[in-house]
Amino acid sequence: MTTHPSRSIRQVIPGAGTSDGAGVRIKRSLGQQPSVRLDPFLMLDEFGSSDAADYIAGFPSHPHRGFETVTYMIEGHMLHEDHMGNRGDLRNGGVQWMTAGRGIIHSEMPQQESGTMRGFQLWLNLPAAEKMQDAGYHDIQPEDIPEIRIDGGLVKLIAGETAINGQSATGAVSGSSTAPIYADIQLEPAAKVSLNVPASHQGLLYLYEGDATLGQQPLQRSAANILADDGDSITVKSGPTGARLLLIAGKPIGEPIVQYGPFVMNSREEIEQALQDYRDGTLTA
Ligand code: CO
């Protein structure tokens, strides 16, 4: 039997309150500064409010080039529309996996005027060789996300391959070159779970409800708790009120990153080209 030493936390990046789109209130951990990234991840935003004023303005039409966005809606209803004619309803528990590639122009607008909207948007970088691929869009329904029941909880495996308490599991999305693992872990009070996170991967834990510890270290709420490279698994234990947290991990790309707003490329020249293409209306051509 192989042992899988549990990783520890090497750094904590608290989510900073800011707004994006037309004025949606978010907490941004990764991506709040260009230096605060975790290759292959560029940005991680948490949105969550029961005050419609915090989300109603949504994200009107805007472009992207050079990476992927993964939106996980925990509660609420948004409509995605893009230049390819895709329309996708993002509802409680659903995921939208969008590959901007050479270019996409899309909007994400709330379809509710009251109630709670809560979820996450992650930006996943693409290697240079894949940045200029055709745009793609994948709407993943809640019932298509594997749910692995464990003693005292549940793991929803949105992406990747891992082992959960020693049992192999495959998520709804796989096959990307950065082999991302994206899991939503829900634990009842004083429950415990272990997941494999290969040594090749950088990763983080994002606690968004309750309390939990990784080994002896308490996880900070609404923060990217960055994993150290000291093992190939994590073992999380929940506190007296239970916990909900994300595990996000992937293989680093190790290439230069030049970002200008919604364009993420490898050089300034490529950014200038993206701006030029957007002005000329050929971003998505
Ligand atoms: Co967008």
Side-chain angles (χ1 to χ4, degrees), residues 187 191-194 205 212-214 219 234-238 245:
L187 295 174
K192 198 167 113 172
V193 66
S194 296
L205 295 171
T213 51
L214 178 69
L219 296 179
I234 54 153
T235 298
V236 177
K237 195 169 177 235
S238 57
L245 62 145

Side-chain angles (χ1 to χ4, degrees), residues 9 203-207 214 219 223-225 227 234 236 245-247:
I9 300 297
L204 64 90
L205 295 171
Y206 196 99
L207 178 72
L214 178 69
L219 296 179
N225 295 266
L227 300 173
I234 54 153
V236 177
L245 62 145
L246 304 178
L247 163 66

Side-chain angles (χ1 to χ4, degrees), residues 138-201:
H138 189 184
D139 218 355
I140 304 157
Q141 300 306 314
E143 58 271 23
D144 296 328
I145 298 171
E147 290 189 359
I148 296 94
R149 302 222 157 252
I150 53 165
D151 194 20
L154 174 73
V155 178
K156 293 188 189 184
L157 195 53
I158 295 165
E161 291 181 15
T162 181
I164 301 169
N165 290 340
Q167 293 278 96
S168 352
T170 301
V173 175
S174 58
S176 295
S177 52
T178 52
I181 299 171
Y182 193 145
D184 182 10
I185 302 168
Q186 305 177 19
L187 295 174
E188 292 163 17
K192 198 167 113 172
V193 66
S194 296
L195 282 87
N196 285 11
V197 183
S200 56
H201 282 45

Side-chain angles (χ1 to χ4, degrees), residues 62 64 106 108:
H62 61 277
H64 295 287
H106 78 144
E108 295 152 300

Side-chain angles (χ1 to χ4, degrees), residues 59-60 62-64 67 69 96 98 104 106-108 121 123 262:
F59 300 86
H62 61 277
H64 295 287
F67 61 103
T69 67
Q96 176 199 277
M98 191 184 82
I104 197 164
H106 78 144
S107 62
E108 295 152 300
Q121 188 170 81
W123 286 17

